[in-house]
Amino acid sequence: MADLRRSVLDEAWGRIPTSRESQADQGSFTQARIERVMTLIVGFGSLVLGAQAFAAAAGSPDEAAQWHVPLVVAIFVPLVAMIVACIVGRFARIFSGIFAVVFVLTLSVWPVATAGGPAPTPTEDPWIFFLVNVATVASIVAFPIGLQIAWIVVTPLLYGVVRLLQAGGDGDFVVTVALDVSFAFILGSVLITLGWMYRSIATNVDRARAAAVSSYASAAATAATENERVAVAALMHDSVLGALLAAERATTPRERTLAVSMAREALTRLANAEKDALEGSDEPVPAVRLADDIEAAAGELGVQLHVVRQLEEGTPRVPGRVARALVLAALQAVANAVQHADAQGLTVQVTGSASPGGVAVRVRDTGSGFDVAAIAPDRLGIRGSIHARLAAVGGRSDIDSHAGGTTVTLEWESGDRW
């Protein structure tokens, strides 16, 4: 049962057309694509802000001469690596984390690096300011939610502190720095909220998909088990119990011949039970093949039949499993007619129509009939070998019995299931 469930789960995941997932990696489809979209946005956004920061650094640096090149190298080398990793989609988390940490460390030494440099002005932001939000979005890619919040709060505040230290506590910088810190904090908060929201949605979607596939797999496994039970029950009744009952009730040479034929058929079907589990292949066969197979199968049981064929031009071909089910169900009806009605007035008719496309098999006898509603639950001849067998392949069966005889009707339409 466990192997059946695993195979059904793999089949279920394969039925999702936009996914290549299997049971081993289910639940990652939406999350992986959300992460990819986020890294692309971070990559291209960082490229724009990074270019702006680099142009500012090359134009009028705030640092002392001996600090400028080391700081530029320390900042922009990890930044370029992060941008490339995000755009390419490889190692984005690692390089984003490296840049986020390096930026905070570089920002921490900014007051020392700018000591002895050009005097700052309140109206001009230093080039490192353009990368504050790059560091915050890098944390969104690289870190769990707790560290993301820490980076969103600490990075803008740290920038504000070092900027005021650079200005020597000049009161003219307070308003400008407060606006810069507020802007960086608000933008970072929006970005982290969006990232958390989309990741949460992706997680819920993947969980819903996994639950739906698991539910499908459970239902399919249950259906497969039930079909197998029906097939085994039908096999036991058709082959074994039928042969035993026929042998027990045989009183005439004809009935003994029928019992011997049914016993031979039982041994053959039991020997090939595993091979015939699916009751034939799905290769479509002509509708006339049903009549030929019913005649041949009845002949093997010692019953000589001529099946009446009424097939319109354009009658659809019948899938192999459906054809096999129709033949076996018709054969069971023939066997019932022989055993219980002594084959009085036994006729079999196969009809086919082009519109609506389908076939029907009718087995009639003129025996004394029986009460269909009074059939005991443990009698499988009708329930298992006829009704359940047809239902398993999308067909329909009906039994009309009265004092003047019994008619078993087996129907399949091309639009029912296939």
Side-chain angles (χ1 to χ4, degrees):
M1 184 67 181
D3 292 338
L4 175 62
R5 179 175 174 79
R6 280 195 295 271
S7 64
V8 172
L9 270 174
D10 286 334
E11 177 189 357
W13 282 106
R15 288 179 180 272
I16 302 177
T18 58
S19 172
R20 299 298 183 192
E21 294 166 299
S22 66
Q23 187 180 355
D25 62 353
Q26 59 178 281
S28 62
F29 179 77
T30 310
Q31 294 180 59
R33 277 140 188 84
I34 286 293
E35 293 294 335
R36 183 68 186 117
V37 170
M38 290 175 61
T39 55
L40 283 173
I41 293 174
V42 169
F44 285 109
S46 299
L47 178 61
V48 173
L49 293 176
Q52 186 178 6
F54 186 78
S60 56
D62 295 271
E63 319 92 287
Q66 67 272 22
W67 281 93
H68 180 62
V69 173
L71 287 182
V72 169
V73 171
I75 286 289
F76 286 100
V77 170
L79 177 60
V80 170
M82 183 190 81
I83 292 172
V84 173
C86 287
I87 293 176
V88 173
R90 303 272 296 179
F91 307 109
R93 178 166 297 187
I94 295 174
F95 287 109
S96 296
I98 292 173
F99 174 77
V101 173
V102 168
F103 180 82
V104 170
L105 295 176
T106 304
L107 195 58
S108 301
V109 302
W110 186 256
V112 178
T114 55
T121 59
T123 56
E124 293 184 8
D125 293 317
W127 61 266
I128 201 169
F129 169 74
F130 298 105
L131 300 177
V132 171
N133 283 119
V134 175
T136 57
V137 296
S139 71
I140 295 174
V141 174
F143 301 146
I145 187 66
L147 285 178
Q148 293 177 34
I149 295 173
W151 243 254
I152 295 299
V153 174
V154 170
T155 305
L157 290 178
L158 181 60
Y159 167 77
V161 171
V162 301
R163 180 63 169 160
L164 290 176
L165 290 175
Q166 178 190 3
D170 189 344
D172 294 338
F173 283 81
V174 173
V175 175
T176 302
V177 171
L179 291 175
D180 289 341
V181 170
S182 300
F183 171 79
F185 178 75
I186 292 172
L187 180 58
S189 300
V190 171
L191 293 175
I192 192 175
T193 301
L194 289 175
W196 172 81
M197 181 179 66
Y198 283 120
R199 280 171 170 160
S200 299
I201 292 173
T203 300
N204 292 333
V205 169
D206 284 331
R207 286 176 181 171
R209 293 171 72 250
V213 170
S214 179
S215 176
Y216 166 85
S218 297
T222 301
T225 302
E226 179 64 16
N227 289 341
E228 184 177 355
R229 185 195 66 78
V230 169
V232 171
L235 171 62
M236 290 296 294
H237 180 274
D238 293 354
S239 300
V240 180
L241 297 180
L244 293 175
L245 288 173
E248 178 188 10
R249 297 172 181 175
T251 57
T252 66
R254 181 180 182 183
E255 291 175 345
R256 294 190 185 96
T257 301
L258 176 62
V260 171
S261 299
M262 292 179 68
R264 185 183 299 112
E265 174 71 10
L267 292 174
T268 301
R269 293 195 65 193
L270 286 174
N272 298 319
E274 182 176 354
K275 182 181 69 176
D276 295 338
L278 294 179
E279 297 191 338
S281 71
D282 259 344
E283 186 67 27
V285 299
V288 69
R289 172 80 172 273
L290 299 176
D292 298 337
D293 289 349
I294 292 172
E295 287 181 351
E300 292 177 1
L301 296 179
V303 179
Q304 300 302 316
L305 281 177
H306 173 69
V307 178
V308 178
R309 298 160 172 83
Q310 294 182 348
L311 302 172
E312 296 179 359
E313 185 177 355
T315 297
R317 294 168 65 87
V318 183
R321 278 186 287 178
V322 177
R324 180 65 173 164
L326 287 169
V327 171
L328 290 175
L331 189 62
Q332 179 62 42
V334 169
N336 289 344
V338 172
Q339 293 180 28
H340 303 295
D342 198 25
Q344 297 179 33
L346 178 61
T347 60
V348 180
Q349 180 184 59
V350 176
T351 60
S353 61
S355 179
V359 295
V361 180
R362 291 179 177 81
V363 181
R364 296 186 177 93
D365 67 65
T366 56
S368 58
F370 63 96
D371 184 0
V372 177
I375 300 175
D378 59 347
R379 298 302 299 273
L380 301 177
I382 292 176
R383 286 190 172 87
S385 300
I386 296 179
H387 291 321
R389 175 170 277 144
L390 263 294
V393 295
R396 297 183 296 275
S397 57
D398 179 71
I399 298 178
D400 178 26
S401 186
H402 48 77
T406 300
T407 301
V408 178
T409 303
L410 314 171
E411 296 178 304
W412 172 82
E413 292 183 5
S414 57
D416 280 351
R417 180 175 175 180
W418 306 88

